[in-house]
Amino acid sequence: MSAGHALLQRRAAGVLLHITSLPGPHGCGDFGPAARHFVDWLAAAGQSVWQMLPVHPVGPGHSPYQSVSAFAGCALMVALEPLVERGWLAAATPPPFSAHTVEWERVVAWRMQRLREAAVGFAARASAAERDAHAQWCAREAGWLDDYTLFKAIDTAYRRGGGEGGWWRWQRPLAAREPAALAAAARTLADDIAFWRFVQWCFDTQWAALHAYARERGVAVMGDLPIFVAHHSADCWARPELYQLDAGFEPSVVAGVPPDYFSPTGQRWGNPLYRWERMAADGYAWWTARVRRALALADLFRIDHFRGFAGCWEIPATSPTAVDGRWVPGPGSALFDALEAALGRLPIVAEDLGLITPDVVALRERHGFAGMKVLQFAFGGDAGNAFLPHHHPPEAVVYSGTHDNDTSLGWWRGASAHERAFAAAYLGLGPGADDTTVPWALVRAALTSPGRLAIVPMQDVLALDGTHRMNRPGTTEGNWGWRFDWGMVGAAPGRRLAALAAASGRAPIERLGA
């Protein structure tokens, strides 16, 4: 078991909820008062972990897994209240946004306008100490910040001029990063570059304050690191030689997974694949910088699609689905040996779902990373199914479901007759049980598992049906927008979660009487 974080060495429990799913008046969840209230709720419910999805800028389909940067923070998560308090932004009544769904286009337009107003206010009214703090932060983060802010400024100007497509469609000198073209763009777009620097500074300072607030209350943050980066990203533009791109900077092959539980044609993600041999040539410096940044934002993190480090599914860029792909080797232990040499033991939870071959298991075990067990996958076969709790090893991180699964109530309502009969028998539901008892039966099974860390989605804590699902893999519309409000919660779920955490050894036994 990894020595990277104490929470992977003892029994603990947590809740999966993305920042944008939090309540609040500004259209999506952010680092404002609702985030602190949620930390307080977690602590009162005996929870030691808040797991989030990636906190980077959202990409196509509003997905946090297709970000324009593997280093930058999502501007939509910047809370507006602190900007008002500092005198950089005038108070304003927000338009009436949905409390239960992120209306992405409206929310993005409104919040970005407010952030631009705050940047103007900062430029006009910031104190000398604030300007100095901002300048010091920009200098410290220049390794990724300079490329990201220039990328955003160029891309914003390109789209304002009617341009379409990604950075490879920019004027060739800019796409190819010719020094004279970049210098001219930096001069012409200085104001927009300053805006994006301001937004990222606000993100980091607000995130650091929230992270400290959580730590003070015994709640650790579990982040999420996607294995691949988006083609249209500052990372790909800044270092195109690290990716399998042709002379026009288009991918020759892309990432995905073969047909599986989620899709009969597989999933064609479209991310460019790495040139691992070139990354190895400089000791995996880009990956070291990326993981160092991840560790600055979270106490431990889930690494998405871990099997891709052993071998990944390579799809011809011309193929419309993932069916015609093939397995190609990943970097294996060489990458993680380099990371551990630079950063020490890593507090990683490996997302080892899907088609897992012996080499993937060997890679995870060699480096002592925790793996995942998802209870919704446990009832499709017989008692030998490795996802059943009686097979869970102590190093497992156990989930009722993940952001890619249906809610547990939605899963139950769509399950086969065999799955329902098996789950009912295993979970002790009894004949004719009300299906609304299923989510808490799975929550109980997760928390009583031998696995040291148990994580349950907030939707299961609230026993919500499939209309509250966060993501449907293989689809591009209607995802990532789910939100809750405190009126949906009440007092009972927190008390029940605290009692279960205490009874299963994941919180002090005194919580039984909380």
Side-chain angles (χ1 to χ4, degrees):
M1 199 60 184
S2 171
H5 198 281
L7 284 172
L8 298 175
Q9 294 291 329
R10 63 175 176 84
R11 288 179 69 76
V15 172
L16 168 60
L17 181 82
H18 196 37
I19 288 285
T20 56
S21 295
L22 286 164
H26 299 136
C28 69
D30 56 34
F31 297 147
R36 283 170 170 72
H37 185 51
F38 186 67
V39 168
D40 294 339
W41 182 88
L42 287 171
Q47 305 299 289
S48 303
V49 178
W50 178 0
Q51 182 180 342
M52 304 170 184
L53 304 184
V55 294
H56 305 300
V58 297
H62 316 296
S63 170
Y65 293 91
Q66 290 285 350
S67 180
V68 297
S69 174
F71 294 81
C74 180
L76 302 178
M77 296 177 186
V78 175
L80 302 181
E81 292 90 346
L83 308 182
V84 174
E85 291 167 5
R86 291 196 172 197
W88 304 336
L89 181 65
T93 301
F97 292 117
S98 169
H100 300 130
T101 302
V102 180
E103 301 168 280
W104 286 106
E105 284 71 24
R106 293 182 64 227
V107 169
V108 170
W110 186 78
R111 292 189 75 120
M112 294 308 297
Q113 177 58 38
R114 297 290 282 156
L115 288 174
R116 287 192 177 274
E117 292 168 7
V120 171
F122 171 82
R125 295 184 290 278
S127 68
E130 290 166 340
R131 294 177 195 278
D132 185 58
H134 173 259
Q136 289 188 30
W137 180 86
C138 289
R140 187 169 64 248
E141 303 297 331
W144 63 268
L145 184 68
D146 290 353
D147 282 325
Y148 170 72
T149 53
L150 182 57
F151 174 90
K152 286 295 294 181
I154 295 172
D155 197 50
T156 300
Y158 172 72
R159 295 181 191 285
R160 283 175 178 162
E164 297 180 351
W167 60 268
W168 53 95
R169 299 290 178 82
W170 297 348
Q171 293 177 1
R172 180 70 187 190
L174 290 173
R177 295 180 59 86
E178 294 179 8
L182 296 186
R187 290 191 299 270
T188 303
L189 302 172
D191 288 346
D192 212 34
I193 291 170
F195 166 71
W196 291 110
R197 286 173 177 262
F198 170 76
V199 169
Q200 289 303 307
W201 176 61
C202 290
F203 175 95
D204 257 31
T205 53
Q206 289 188 11
W207 170 245
L210 177 60
H211 196 179
Y213 185 91
R215 282 177 168 170
E216 290 165 2
R217 286 150 184 81
V219 176
V221 170
M222 182 172 166
D224 195 321
L225 190 149
I227 180 174
F228 298 116
V229 303
H231 184 201
H232 182 63
S233 66
D235 312 284
C236 200
W237 172 66
R239 299 288 306 278
E241 72 278 8
L242 299 180
Y243 305 88
Q244 296 194 42
L245 307 179
D246 62 21
F249 304 117
E250 296 269 17
S252 53
V253 291
V254 297
V257 291
D260 61 7
Y261 170 89
F262 291 112
S263 172
T265 58
Q267 297 176 48
R268 185 190 184 280
W269 297 332
N271 308 74
L273 293 178
Y274 298 115
R275 295 187 187 273
W276 288 114
E277 72 286 355
R278 295 191 181 180
M279 290 185 154
D282 66 1
Y284 298 99
W286 182 85
W287 269 97
T288 301
R290 186 184 185 191
V291 172
R292 183 179 286 113
R293 173 69 172 162
L295 292 171
L297 295 174
D299 301 294
L300 63 164
F301 60 92
R302 168 188 177 272
I303 191 160
D304 190 51
H305 195 58
F306 180 79
R307 75 138 298 114
F309 295 108
C312 67
W313 190 246
E314 179 186 276
I315 307 165
T318 54
S319 177
T321 73
V323 172
D324 295 327
R326 63 174 186 139
W327 291 108
V328 295
S333 281
L335 169 63
F336 294 104
D337 288 343
L339 292 173
E340 289 169 356
L343 304 171
R345 294 298 298 273
L346 300 173
I348 283 177
V349 174
E351 186 270 287
D352 54 351
L353 306 174
L355 180 60
I356 301 302
T357 47
D359 57 336
V360 182
V361 176
L363 180 63
R364 180 180 61 75
E365 290 182 345
R366 171 176 171 174
H367 295 278
F369 299 150
M372 290 174 56
K373 300 295 183 184
V374 179
L375 296 183
Q376 287 185 23
F377 299 153
F379 306 105
D382 59 21
N385 189 314
F387 288 101
L388 288 165
H390 64 267
H391 291 303
H392 294 173
E395 62 269 21
V397 179
V398 185
Y399 292 80
S400 54
T402 74
H403 65 277
D404 281 334
N405 292 92
D406 203 340
T407 68
S408 286
L409 181 54
W411 163 78
W412 173 263
R413 290 176 174 172
S416 68
H418 171 79
E419 288 176 306
R420 288 164 67 108
F422 189 177
Y426 194 94
L427 301 171
L429 296 177
D434 183 344
D435 63 3
T436 58
T437 65
V438 171
W440 272 98
L442 286 172
V443 170
R444 183 182 302 105
L447 268 66
T448 56
S449 161
R452 291 197 186 107
L453 179 57
I455 304 285
V456 294
M458 190 65 175
Q459 291 96 320
D460 287 353
V461 175
L462 301 181
L464 298 175
D465 65 26
T467 61
H468 298 268
R469 184 172 181 167
M470 190 64 166
N471 181 48
R472 291 171 176 79
T475 67
T476 57
E477 300 295 330
N479 297 318
W480 313 113
W482 178 75
R483 302 179 71 198
F484 80 99
D485 66 68
W486 286 110
M488 299 164 62
V489 181
R495 286 200 298 262
R496 192 172 184 182
L497 202 55
L500 271 176
S504 59
R506 301 180 187 277
I509 195 65
E510 292 79 10
R511 286 287 180 191
L512 278 172

